[in-house]
Each structure stands twice: as structure tokens, then as C-alpha cells.
Amino acid sequence: MVEQISITLPDGNKAVVRSGLTVKEVLAGWNKAMLASTVAAKVNGVPVDLGHILTGDAVIEPIAAASPGGLSILRHSMAHVMAQAVQDSFPGVQVSIGPSIEDGFYYDFEYGESFTLQDLDRIESRMKEIAAADYPFERREVSREEAVDLFRSKGEHYKVELLNDLPADIKRVSLYTQNGYVDLCRGPHCPSTGMIRAFKLLNVAGAYWRGDERNKMLQRIYGTGFATQEALDDHLRLLEEARKRDHRRIGRELDLFQLSDEAGPGLVIFHPKGTLLRTIIEDWEKKEHLKRGYDLVIGPQILKVDLWKQSGHFDHYRENMYFTEVDEQVYGIKPMNCLSHMLIYKSKLRSYRDLPLRYFELGTVHRHEKAGVLHGLMRVRQFTQDDAHILCTPGQLNSEIRAIADFVGYAMDIFGFTYEVELSTRPEKSIGSDADWELATTALEGALKDNGMTYEVNAGDGAFYGPKIDFKLKDALKRKWQCATIQCDFTLPERFDLSYVGEDGEKHRPVMLHRVILGAIERFMGVLIEHHAGAFPLWLSPVQAVLVTVTEKHIPFGEEVRKQLLAAGIRVEGDFRNEKLGYKIREAQMQKTPYMLVIGDREVASGQVSPRQRDGQNLGSIGVEAFITLVRDQSARFK
């Protein structure tokens, strides 16, 4: 007799079917229409192809193409189709790896010539032909040795290297084939190329094999793809808007900063307006921290390497550090600010009555980022963090974490962002005891729950010395950016033998919280620039108003008004050039200036100004004091 198995269907009902049916056959019997939008399924929680054969009792959950998991599978299938299209169009190309990523996919290729944008059009056309042909993705399992022989015969030495580097206990691997193209892959994949309908190739970039700059540079072709053309079109519109908002371009146009090859990669030079924007943000930070009971401190840029060994940074982080030698003593240029703060704490005996101590530093740090990941203000080698370290008793941990979370929420509201929260747990490479990690993770999670905050768990992504809460702000284009973080650390106070005298007269170990609110100031500025497309709110704008004179005879009054505004703390410039009024107004609008104050015969005669907003709205003639009050009122919430 044919063996019968029990299947739990997506609606929770159970069905008894014969063993040997595929997932697709079972789902077709339950809801055939649903298969048109299903790329794969989970069987007992494990993602599999729809062609997976069922041999035992199982719970089946379909994976819809438009779901996050479905999109990942669909995009990975797109990467396979792209690899086939590249090899069809450019004989001799070697393939390496091609995963799905957030919002898309890529594949790395070795080819003797550089791919051009015209080549991408050619590849994309071939992909459409492959998709239209509706070739099935066919999975088969082979021995590791058979796979090595297959790819060696094809001259695919990258695949051979991947196979040879697999753990020794892996004896069999899976291959996927579509229309004769074979790739090494765990899967799953969508049933056939016909499900791949909405995709677009975007650009080509260099990428070292396996991310190691000692290896050969390959060519990485990026693409994006979605379950529907409508979703793809929406994403492409967002990409175009992101291109227009690129902070590097706006930074040049508004004369905020520069990145110079003469200075070196990843090193930002701030111009006067960019420096003023940064100063406004930093001054706000100092004021808000002082209101919340933080002490401002400053530590040195270099510290003896012995301290970095004691902290664990030398063992776990030195590939990201710079070192120098002074008087035959090796120093580490600080990538983080925590060590100086611990030395401040340790400088005298502490009592439980002193705690919590909150040390805040706008500390400049240096990290050795690889050249390939440097990107404008978003990823640099020198940056300043709004870094604080709180040393407290275990009993104060909950209230301190909750207060930081409230501070983050206040800051995000002030700067106009919404955000999401993640709890990141112990990574594979870490220091400290299991008990301390458990205590720290529980403290963070408990504070989030007490604050009523929704959060996701990001397993294994904590810092090497402790778990953390990450706040990911969302900008105007719905992109997420990592800025604020709270890290709970029992390990460094232990390593530096920090203590306080408790109520019982005995010495106890404090707990340390590492935290930032905005994160790296440079990165936050980059996000701000793109979020506002350079049109900053009035309180943040480096130039709040520009005086625009009609003719030269109006300059004396313009100078007088400028002095009044400067004395009142208004950030103002004067455009007294011998140019047409319309030209000067258009230029001020291009500079995203919130207000243009026109000064002509009427204004000189009345002793007033005529404010014009950057959106073109005219406010009519008002007195200079009235304009000062207007600016102050509009900025009052942020003072």
C-alpha cells in the first residue's frame, strides 16, 4: 500500500495525502489560484522549492512572491537569470557569487573587459528573453566531488574554490539548472523563469573576490526586482528621487563640504556653511545633554596600546584601528571614546551616592574603513560621535535605559524622523561570561517592554562586549539609517576594575551603558541633507535669510538691516551685487534659503523689509523687528 502522510495546510486544516507528492501538488489541491503568486513554501519551517517531495508528516506554509521572504527568493532567481544572460552575451565570463540583497540582487563576474551601461541594456534584454521562455528551475543533489568536476570542466574556478572550502562533513551539494545554465546554490528558487517579470539592472561596481582586497577585483552588476511592475516602478521613482537628493551633490551645490583626493579618502573638509550646520546640531546636543544631567568631558585622540589590549579592542577590533609610535611607545588612535571615560571614573573612589555618572563627549574617532565602502558623509574614516557612557548600579539600569530611549524619541521628533527599534544579541565573536550577557540582554529587553516600545530581535548582531538596542530612523524616501544605539556592558568595568562603595560599605562593580543619540555627526548630516533635499528647517538652516537689494542705492539700508539681524542672532547674508532682482532671488531659492528679504525704494522709505519664502510665497512688507520675532517664533521649539 502507498504510505499516507498528514499535512497541515495553510488554513490550519489537516489533509491526508499519499507520500511522494510535491509541495506544489498539495497546494494545488488546496488553492490552485494561489500558486500564481507563490514562489516557494516552508515545510516544517524550512524554505523549500515547490517541487520538494513530501515523504513525511508536514506543516506547509506558502511563500508569496510579494512577501519579504518571497522577494528574497525571487531576486536570487533573478541573479541566476542574470548570470546566464551574461554568459550567453559575453562568452568566457566566469561567475562567482550572486545573492539577493535588500531591494535587489547582484552577481560578481570575472571578465577581461569592463562592462558598460550599454552592456547592461544588452544583458537585460537577454534576461527578458529567458524570463519569457519560462524555463523551469530544476534542482538536483550531487556529490561534492561530482560538482567540483563539473565546474572545473566549465573553467569556473571560483565555484571550485567555494566547493573546496566547504566544511569536510558536507558530502553533497545542490545545483540549480535553467535552460542548460548550471549554478551552485542551496535554494530555494521560484518554479520557473516566467515568474521573473519586473526587474531592472542598475549599475556596475568593482568588488574584491570574497571581500578581500588581496584577491582579484571582479565586476559586480547590481539589479533590482519586485513581484509586480507597479512595485518596480515605484522603487525606480524612489531611486531617481534619491539621486536628486544625493548629499554629495547637494553638499557641493550648497557649498557645505568637500571630499578631496588631495586630503585622502574618507576625510571630510567642512566649508563655512557646513561647519555652521554642524555647530548648530552640536550646540543643540550639548544643551540637551546638560538638561538631562550629563557631564561634558574630552579625551585624547591617542592612548597607549596597552589600554586597547586591556579593553579587548586590540584583539577584536585592531583591523579597524590606526596605530602610531611616540618615544618608542606604541599608541592606538581611538576608534571609540569609552576608554578615557573609564579612566575619568577610575580617577577617584566612587560611592553609590555618586551614581549614575553620565559622561558625554562629542568625540572625534578614526576607523580604518576599506576604500570600497567609503561613501560621502555616510561612511568615512574620521568622524565625531555624540558619545556617552553611563556608569550605574545594576538597580539603576532599567531607568537609565528607558531615559535614553526617551531621549532618542525626543531627538527624532525634533529632527523630523520616525524610527524602528532592534534588539541585537550576542555575536559569535565576543567577550564576557554567559551570565553577564544574559543579564545585559534581559535589562535592555525589559526597558523596551517597560517603555511600551515595539522591537525586532536581530540575533547575533551585538557588539563584541555586549548586546545593544539599535534605533533605525526612516527618512523621506522610506530608507532606514542606523544612528542611535544603546549598548549594555558588564565586561569593560570588569577589565578595568571599576568599582563603587555600596550602602553596605563593600566594593561593587558598576554597569556601563555605551550610547549615542544621533550617532556619527557626519553620517547624521548626510541623512539630514537627503531627508530635506537641502531645504533645511528654519532653525537648522545655515543661512536663514538673504538680503536682496534692487539697486546699489539700496545697499546702505541693506547693511543696516543686516547688522540688526546679526545682532538678534539671525543667520543672514547680503546679496548686494549689481545683478537683476529676479536672478538674485532665483539664486537664493537654488541655495534653499528659507527667506529672501527684498529691499527697494518702498522698503527704504518705510524702514521695512519684504520677506519672500523659498516656496515663492510673499509675506508683504513688515518691520525688521517683526521679522526677527517671526524667525524666533518659528525656531522657538528647538531652542
Side-chain angles (χ1 to χ4, degrees), residues 129-140:
E129 293 172 358
I130 297 168
D134 198 21
Y135 300 117
F137 282 98
E138 298 174 321
R139 175 191 173 97
R140 63 189 175 104

Side-chain angles (χ1 to χ4, degrees), residues 352-373:
Y352 73 95
R353 297 181 186 278
D354 300 323
L355 303 183
L357 284 170
R358 308 181 187 99
Y359 298 135
F360 170 66
E361 178 177 5
L362 281 164
T364 298
V365 298
H366 295 78
R367 297 183 185 175
H368 182 207
E369 302 284 4
K370 293 181 179 178
V373 301

Side-chain angles (χ1 to χ4, degrees), residues 547-555 558 575-582 584-585 597-604 610:
L547 297 164
V548 181
T549 50
V550 178
T551 66
E552 288 186 359
K553 68 179 181 179
H554 305 124
I555 293 177
D575 188 348
F576 302 149
R577 294 173 298 167
N578 186 23
E579 298 282 357
K580 291 183 178 179
L581 179 63
K584 292 198 281 188
I585 288 176
L597 306 182
V598 178
I599 296 177
D601 289 340
R602 184 177 59 185
E603 287 74 27
V604 171
S610 296

Side-chain angles (χ1 to χ4, degrees), residues 553-628:
K553 68 179 181 179
H554 305 124
I555 293 177
F557 181 64
E559 293 283 14
E560 182 182 327
V561 173
R562 179 162 63 176
K563 289 178 182 177
Q564 285 182 264
L565 295 179
L566 287 173
I570 309 299
R571 299 185 292 275
V572 62
E573 288 184 347
D575 188 348
F576 302 149
R577 294 173 298 167
N578 186 23
E579 298 282 357
K580 291 183 178 179
L581 179 63
Y583 173 82
K584 292 198 281 188
I585 288 176
R586 281 193 301 275
E587 191 162 281
Q589 287 175 321
M590 292 293 290
Q591 288 294 301
K592 318 280 189 179
T593 310
Y595 286 106
M596 288 137 274
L597 306 182
V598 178
I599 296 177
D601 289 340
R602 184 177 59 185
E603 287 74 27
V604 171
S606 64
Q608 296 184 318
V609 291
S610 296
R612 177 190 179 105
Q613 295 180 166
R614 61 185 160 207
D615 62 5
Q617 181 181 355
N618 288 306
L619 303 186
S621 295
I622 61 174
V624 176
E625 286 299 326
F627 178 72
I628 291 171

Side-chain angles (χ1 to χ4, degrees), residues 421-475:
V421 183
E422 285 184 355
L423 174 64
S424 298
T425 58
R426 187 172 191 170
E428 188 175 325
K429 186 179 180 182
S430 61
I431 58 177
S433 69
D434 292 343
D436 282 347
W437 272 87
E438 178 64 26
L439 189 59
T441 305
T442 300
L444 291 174
E445 191 163 22
L448 289 174
K449 289 178 178 177
D450 289 346
N451 267 23
M453 303 179 76
T454 303
Y455 63 94
E456 297 289 334
V457 175
N458 190 7
D461 200 41
F464 73 85
Y465 47 77
K468 61 178 180 171
I469 299 171
D470 289 326
F471 299 82
K472 297 192 173 181
L473 63 82
K474 293 190 283 189
D475 68 10

Side-chain angles (χ1 to χ4, degrees), residues 97-159:
I97 57 171
S100 62
I101 55 175
E102 186 175 3
D103 293 335
F105 58 92
Y106 71 78
Y107 218 115
D108 289 347
F109 302 95
E110 181 185 325
Y111 186 47
E113 299 179 27
S114 297
F115 290 120
T116 65
L117 293 179
Q118 290 72 28
D119 292 335
L120 295 194
D121 292 338
R122 180 179 169 188
I123 296 165
E124 193 175 298
S125 294
R126 177 59 184 141
M127 288 178 68
K128 290 177 180 177
E129 293 172 358
I130 297 168
D134 198 21
Y135 300 117
F137 282 98
E138 298 174 321
R139 175 191 173 97
R140 63 189 175 104
E141 289 192 4
V142 300
S143 70
R144 180 169 168 171
E145 293 75 16
E146 185 179 345
V148 168
D149 290 342
L150 172 66
F151 287 110
R152 184 175 286 130
S153 70
K154 291 176 172 291
E156 298 286 5
H157 70 260
Y158 292 105
K159 297 294 183 185

